[in-house]
Every structure is written in structure tokens, then in C-alpha cells.
Amino acid sequence: MDSATFQKALEISNKISDDLKVSPTKYRVFTGDRPTGNLHLGHYFGSLKNRIKLQKMGIELYILIADYQVLTDHESFDKISQNTKELVIDYLSTGINPNDDKTCIFPHSYIPELNQLLVPFLTLISVSELERNPTVKEEIQTSKLKTVNAGMLVYPIHQAADILSVNANLVPVGKDQLPHIEVARLIAKRFNSKFGKVFVEPHALLSATPSIVGLDGQQKMSKSRNNSIMLKATREEIISVVSKAKTDSDKHITFDPINRPEISNLLSLVALMAERDEIAIADDIGNGGAKKLKELLIETTDNFLKPIRQKRKELENNPEFIKQFMLRSIDKVREEASKTLNTVRKFMNMEI
Ligand code: TRP
């Protein structure tokens, strides 16, 4: 993604951020995650918290579970169903309200009308455009796939079908997903000019929170890097991961992200959860060293996760509630997506 495209997307995103507060009903927000496992604090502060906020603002919220997409980069598929349910529990236990009829959570494999849009959409993007997608390129490089399956190359088109099936106009994403939003915009534009105006071109809503660094103090928090605090962590699990976090030998705790990235990141995690300032927290610890800092991080995390754990337990004991909520969501999305598909069929002159 060139920097001019990024700058433009950022400018628009900032304008929309302001407008959201004034006209929440103008927006239909679409977000999605792959069901590859439980979520961690990085997910919470990077995206979940914002979704909860959007829901509270009265904005329509479509939360997609990209179960088909898992097949593009994972050899194993035995846990997709379990991971899907766990994702829903992660969403609801952290604060997404399932009784808000403006919000739905659904796996795309349950929406035939959405998947059918993929067929015409495939003809609107060239093979070389797919091969140039920087995010897909990187995923191919870092994945352990022996061969690149066609699904991997075309999943951004599938993602466009996700978004456009319900004509969502706003997609909260990190920078790495921007090329995919560009594909969705391009497909909307090309469809509209070839067949007639059906789709709105969705915009990215870029997150204000930079990505959350893991307990190694170096890399983005990620389950596969073993540097995460999971939202479902027990107190014992928190103690275990925090104890292993990297620190340094200077006993005087200071917030200095350049020279002391590990210590500073632990301070930032406390700051995010306690909603306090890093420097004030460092001052409180003073000469207490990494030991005191870790103790504080353990207590803060444990307190932060307590109500989430409680809610999780209630949900885990009520799988039927989760299922019914998802079925309601699926009904609603199918109704919307079939309207879109009917219009698409009409505009493509395929009615019988
Ligand atoms: N590609 C996204 C990811 O890897 C998941 C996703 C699929 C998505 N469809 C989407 C995100 C539509 C936003 C909108 O995390």
C-alpha cells in the first residue's frame, strides 16, 4: 500500500470518526475475525473495545466470523466450530450486548446469498491485482503452506462479498487490512459502472490504538508468539505468563519506550487496564523494580478480567442462548443479503 493511499484513507477515517458521533444512524459497521482461537488483551484494546463503544452509540454492527477463510491458511479444520463458539463467548463476555437488535454475529458459511456474490465478483478483479495484494503476499510468505491454494489468493474478493452483501459502509480495521478494503471499494465501483448502481463503496475506520505489544516487549501480541494474556486467563495463568515477561536489570522503574521497551510495555498494559498514566504508575513503583511492576500487572489484569470471567461462566453454562442468538443473527443477515443478491441478479440481466 503506497503512502498516498494510506494518507487518504486516514483522512477520510478521521472525518468519519467525528461524524459518527453526530450521525450514528448513517453508518452500518462491518467487522470480522477468523475463528482461530480465543482472543487476548491485544484484541480487546485493538478492536473489541471499539466495537462495544460503537454498539453503545446505537450504530448497526455486523460482526462476521470468517470460518471459510480459515480454510485458506490452516491445514487443520477440526476446531472451527469450537473456535466459533469461543469467539462469540469472548465478544459477549467483554461487553457486546446480544439483546441489541442492531447487532449480529454470524459465520459467513451460514449465509449462502453472501457466498454466491463471490461468483460475479471474481470477474471484476484481475489475477495480477490479486497477486499484488501486499497483505496476502505477506501471509503466503509467513504461512507454512506447501502450495498456495486459490482460496488464499481470492479471499479478499470473498471479504468484499462479506461487506457488500449487506451494503455496509464502514469497516474498522488495522493498517494491514486496508488493501482488502481497497478491493471491496474497487469491486463496488466496477460493479456499479458495469451493471448499474447497487453498492456503496465502504470506507475503512482506522483504529486510533496502535497495535498492542506482547509480554516480550518486542512484537505484536499474538497467541502464536506466546506473548499474550488471554481474556479467559485464570489468575494462575496470568501469574505464569507475566512472571516470564522480559524486563531489564535497572531497579528504578521509568517509562522510556525507546530505551526500555519491555518495562515500558508492561507499564502500558497496566495503564490501559487501569486507565491511568504510564508515568504516574512508574513513579508509584519507583525503586520497586521489575518484581513490583509484575505484581502490579498481575493484580491489575486479574481485577480487569474478573467480571469478564464471571460473564464467561454464565455463557458457557448456556450454550443454547449462544446458538439462538447466532440463529437470529443468521436470519437477519440472510434477509439482507438475499435482497442484495436479487438486485444484483436483476442488474446483471439474469432473471428468469
Ligand atoms: N480478513 C480478516 C482477518 O483476517 C477477517 C475478515 C473476513 C473480515 N471478512 C471480513 C474483516 C470483512 C472485516 C470485514 O482478520
Side-chain angles (χ1 to χ4, degrees), residues 311-327:
K311 194 84 219 287
R312 165 178 292 278
K313 209 161 161 196
E314 283 167 30
L315 292 161
E316 280 171 350
N317 287 332
N318 201 349
E320 194 51 31
F321 175 81
I322 308 261
K323 184 166 180 179
Q324 290 306 324
F325 166 59
M326 288 182 86
L327 288 174

Side-chain angles (χ1 to χ4, degrees), residues 29-33 47 51 54 61-65 91 104 106 163 168 170-173:
V29 171
F30 200 104
T31 71
D33 296 297
S47 62
R51 292 180 196 172
L54 292 169
L61 194 56
Y62 285 74
I63 304 178
L64 169 89
I65 300 182
Y91 296 141
C104 41
F106 60 101
I163 300 166
L170 195 57
V171 189
V173 284

Side-chain angles (χ1 to χ4, degrees), residues 52-63:
I52 296 160
K53 190 174 114 198
L54 292 169
Q55 187 189 46
K56 288 199 174 127
M57 287 164 78
I59 295 167
E60 272 191 294
L61 194 56
Y62 285 74
I63 304 178

Side-chain angles (χ1 to χ4, degrees), residues 60-332:
E60 272 191 294
L61 194 56
Y62 285 74
I63 304 178
L64 169 89
I65 300 182
D67 53 354
Y68 273 149
Q69 205 192 308
V70 173
L71 302 177
T72 64
D73 66 345
H74 277 64
E75 302 285 357
S76 80
F77 51 88
D78 51 331
K79 290 217 170 93
I80 297 180
S81 166
Q82 185 191 332
N83 287 344
T84 296
K85 289 171 201 155
E86 287 286 328
L87 255 190
V88 180
I89 294 179
D90 278 333
Y91 296 141
L92 302 187
S93 62
T94 46
I96 292 285
N97 172 9
N99 300 314
D100 173 343
D101 63 6
K102 290 205 192 91
T103 296
C104 41
I105 305 183
F106 60 101
H108 55 183
S109 72
Y110 270 79
I111 319 292
E113 297 81 3
L114 175 165
N115 292 297
Q116 196 172 326
L117 284 177
L118 181 62
V119 182
F121 285 3
L122 282 168
T123 66
L124 297 171
I125 296 284
S126 72
V127 173
S128 69
E129 280 170 328
L130 289 176
E131 285 169 342
R132 278 203 302 271
N133 187 305
T135 300
V136 174
K137 266 201 212 147
E138 197 188 313
E139 271 165 345
I140 290 173
Q141 273 161 14
T142 53
S143 85
K144 297 177 191 79
L145 293 174
K146 290 184 208 76
T147 53
V148 179
N149 61 75
M152 177 58 129
L153 219 52
V154 303
Y155 91 72
I157 304 183
H158 194 202
Q159 182 158 344
D162 293 336
I163 300 166
L164 301 182
S165 68
V166 296
N167 254 311
N169 55 4
L170 195 57
V171 189
V173 284
K175 201 176 166 190
D176 66 315
Q177 292 285 310
L178 264 186
H180 301 344
I181 308 304
E182 284 306 311
V183 172
R185 294 175 57 78
L186 210 52
I187 289 177
K189 201 186 310 182
R190 288 180 185 167
F191 187 99
N192 291 349
S193 68
K194 188 168 174 180
F195 301 108
K197 174 128 182 52
V198 175
F199 295 110
V200 296
E201 289 176 43
H203 287 293
L205 181 66
L206 287 156
S207 128
T209 327
S211 68
I212 308 296
V213 174
L215 293 172
D216 53 4
Q218 303 286 344
Q219 291 176 293
K220 190 173 156 181
M221 193 177 275
S222 146
K223 204 175 163 199
S224 59
R225 296 196 182 106
N226 259 328
N227 64 359
S228 312
I229 303 179
M230 306 307 291
L231 294 171
K232 65 183 291 191
T234 60
R235 183 176 172 87
E236 291 67 38
E237 285 163 346
I238 298 170
I239 294 173
S240 159
V241 286
V242 172
S243 310
K244 285 185 219 123
K246 244 187 109 184
T247 52
D248 59 37
S249 54
D250 184 348
K251 270 207 160 316
H252 185 66
I253 298 300
T254 51
F255 183 63
D256 180 357
I258 307 278
N259 299 308
R260 305 183 72 186
E262 294 90 359
I263 291 287
S264 302
N265 185 51
L266 300 185
L267 285 166
S268 293
L269 288 170
V270 175
L272 277 170
M273 286 182 276
E275 297 185 6
R276 286 188 66 202
D277 179 66
E278 283 104 339
I279 298 171
I281 300 166
D283 285 348
D284 277 357
I285 301 172
N287 288 321
K291 184 164 175 281
K292 269 262 153 356
L293 173 56
K294 284 187 174 180
E295 278 166 12
L296 179 63
L297 178 57
I298 289 168
E299 286 317 314
T300 310
T301 310
D302 196 38
N303 280 333
F304 183 77
L305 293 184
K306 241 177 225 157
I308 297 175
R309 253 181 236 141
Q310 178 62 31
K311 194 84 219 287
R312 165 178 292 278
K313 209 161 161 196
E314 283 167 30
L315 292 161
E316 280 171 350
N317 287 332
N318 201 349
E320 194 51 31
F321 175 81
I322 308 261
K323 184 166 180 179
Q324 290 306 324
F325 166 59
M326 288 182 86
L327 288 174
R328 279 202 308 279
S329 292
I330 289 164
D331 276 350
K332 186 177 143 186

